[in-house]
């Protein structure tokens, strides 16, 4: 099926209904494998549980985890217009890791809020994070409207509080929809219980989201993932992050600043003349001797200068603070570079959005700040606003995720 695919991340406070909504979307779009619902109902009965949609999603997740395939840790469904992949985001760290593993970077987010409980800490933090990570398209789903007897007033009260918070970020929601994930109201079709709501149901709102496909007109950036020796030739495997790459093109390998030429492009084993942004390909270069994972290939006459220092916005999620001049690892696409923070400025609390003006010596748990980073080896990056994939990174210490950042090197 040659339909476009949209990656959607579902976020929100614990227990506000993320799993239930995923289950509902799979169920109502008939995306569950044959007989799966009955099988899980039986399992639930044995365990003495009600067949809740959240239980269904947990079961599916467990099965997928047992298969141990990265590809299948996500749920997917299809409408007449598009395919959707739902990115699971149980918590902060998982959310960031899943978002930054490239393939599953979200095109849009559904922020789910319990209409009964209203906005909570995690609602705010997740909203802050999606803003930081540059997800522009956000649908607000005010869930559990059944508990509020589908009353318009409840919806309006929560919506008003939410609108104010979103204005401060700022995020302009694409739609704000009253739903009941449990009862299936306003999910696939307009709810008869909430006739006062004149907007689209969730699925229709998703289908109306414009997808950004502008990356092709940006300059070429190709990120090297691996190098394989196939018989006589070396194949450089990676992703065209932006722009196009073609046979015979003169290119620059970064950060080596070494010129070479594209001899051959392979997609799924077949030779091609050209490849586009978003495609994973193999290329053979005239000279690939010094090439390795983490290198970036750009056009010979249009390439980013490798950086030894850059400005960023960092969001810190570790209990152990980020301190000036303490080394850590920055991962940006397939690059890994040791860095230190030189300057931390204007920290902001991600749940209250309160800013403490001025310089500080450390960045604490759930704070974000402007940070100047110095790298030990040259890093190839772009301003996040220019080419987002080359402008976002994670920070690790001892293999543990500590924070996430975007490059703002104007
Ligand atoms: P998550 O932690 O955000 O994934 O939340 P879950 O999907 O696990 O839901 C938490 C609880 O809220 C479960 O008991 C659900 O059955 C319940 N729940 C979810 N959506 C609705 C809804 O629309 N209405 C009602 N009444 N309960 C819901």
């Amino acid at each position: 099926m040659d339909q476009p695919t949209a990656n959607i991340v579902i976020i929100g406070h614990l227990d506000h209904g993320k799993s239930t909504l995923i289950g509902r979307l799979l169920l109502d779009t008939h995306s569950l494998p044959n007989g799966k619902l009955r099988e899980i109902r039986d399992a639930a009965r044995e365990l003495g549980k009600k067949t809740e949609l959240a239980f269904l999603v947990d079961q599916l997740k467990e099965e997928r985890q047992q298969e141990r395939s990265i590809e299948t840790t996500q749920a997917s469904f299809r409408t007449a217009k598009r395919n959707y992949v739902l990115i699971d985001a149980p918590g902060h760290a998982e959310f960031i890791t899943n978002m930054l593993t490239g393939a599953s970077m979200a095109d849009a987010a559904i922020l789910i809020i319990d209409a009964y409980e209203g906005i909570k800490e995690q609602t705010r933090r997740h909203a802050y994070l999606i803003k930081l990570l540059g997800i522009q398209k956000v649908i607000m789903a005010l869930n559990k409207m059944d508990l509020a007897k589908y009353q318009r007033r409840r919806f309006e009260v929560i919506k008003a509080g939410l609108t104010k918070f979103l204005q401060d970020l700022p995020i302009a929601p694409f739609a704000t929809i009253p739903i009941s994930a449990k009862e299936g109201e306003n999910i696939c079709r307009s709810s008869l219980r909430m006739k006062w709501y004149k907007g689209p149901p969730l699925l229709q709102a998703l289908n109306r989201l414009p997808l950004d496909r502008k990356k092709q007109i940006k300059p070429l950036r190709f990120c090297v993932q691996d190098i394989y020796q196939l018989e006589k030739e070396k194949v450089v495997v990676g992703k065209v992050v932006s722009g196009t790459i073609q046979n015979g093109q003169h290119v620059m390998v970064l950060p080596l600043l070494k010129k070479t030429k594209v001899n051959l492009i392979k997609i799924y084993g077949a030779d091609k003349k050209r490849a586009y942004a978003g495609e994973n390909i193999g290329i053979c270069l005239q000279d690939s001797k010094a090439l390795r994972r983490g290198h970036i290939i750009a056009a010979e006459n249009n390439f980013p200068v490798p950086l030894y220092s850059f400005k960023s916005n960092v969001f810190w999620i570790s209990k152990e603070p980020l301190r000036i001049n303490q080394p850590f690892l920055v991962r940006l696409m397939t690059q890994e570079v040791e860095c230190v923070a030189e300057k931390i400025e204007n920290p902001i609390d991600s749940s209250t959005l309160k800013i403490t003006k001025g310089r500080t010596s450390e960045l604490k748990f759930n704070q974000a700040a402007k940070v100047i980073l110095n790298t030990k080896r040259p890093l190839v990056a772009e301003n996040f606003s220019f080419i987002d994939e080359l402008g976002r990174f994670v920070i690790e210490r001892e293999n543990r995720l500590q924070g996430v950042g975007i490059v703002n090197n104007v």
Side-chain angles (χ1 to χ4, degrees), residues 220 222 233-236 240 244-253 258-267 271-275 281-288 291 297-300:
L220 166 68
F222 174 87
E233 53 186 12
K234 250 189 189 174
V235 182
V236 181
V240 186
T244 58
I245 188 166
Q246 48 191 320
N247 269 346
Q249 189 172 358
H250 292 270
V251 293
M252 180 71 83
V253 179
K258 210 176 125 175
K259 292 179 188 174
T260 182
K261 200 176 125 190
V262 179
N263 278 344
L264 196 65
I265 297 176
K266 286 174 179 293
I267 304 180
D271 294 357
K272 291 268 157 96
K273 283 205 180 84
R274 199 186 282 262
I281 61 170
I283 53 177
C284 298
L285 296 171
Q286 203 162 51
D287 174 7
S288 51
L291 232 81
I297 292 173
E300 185 192 64

Side-chain angles (χ1 to χ4, degrees), residues 38 66 87 96 178-179 186 188 219 241 297 315 358 400 402 404:
R38 166 162 313 184
Q66 277 162 9
I87 303 171
I96 294 171
I179 64 164
N186 265 343
C188 288
V241 177
I297 292 173
F315 186 100
R400 304 240 315 264
Q402 307 281 294
V404 57

Side-chain angles (χ1 to χ4, degrees), residues 13 15-20 52 54 143-144 146-147 180-182:
H13 198 73
D15 279 344
H16 281 198
K18 294 180 291 293
S19 293
T20 308
E52 286 201 337
N143 190 32
K144 308 197 188 179
D146 53 304
L147 295 180
S180 168
K182 193 173 176 186

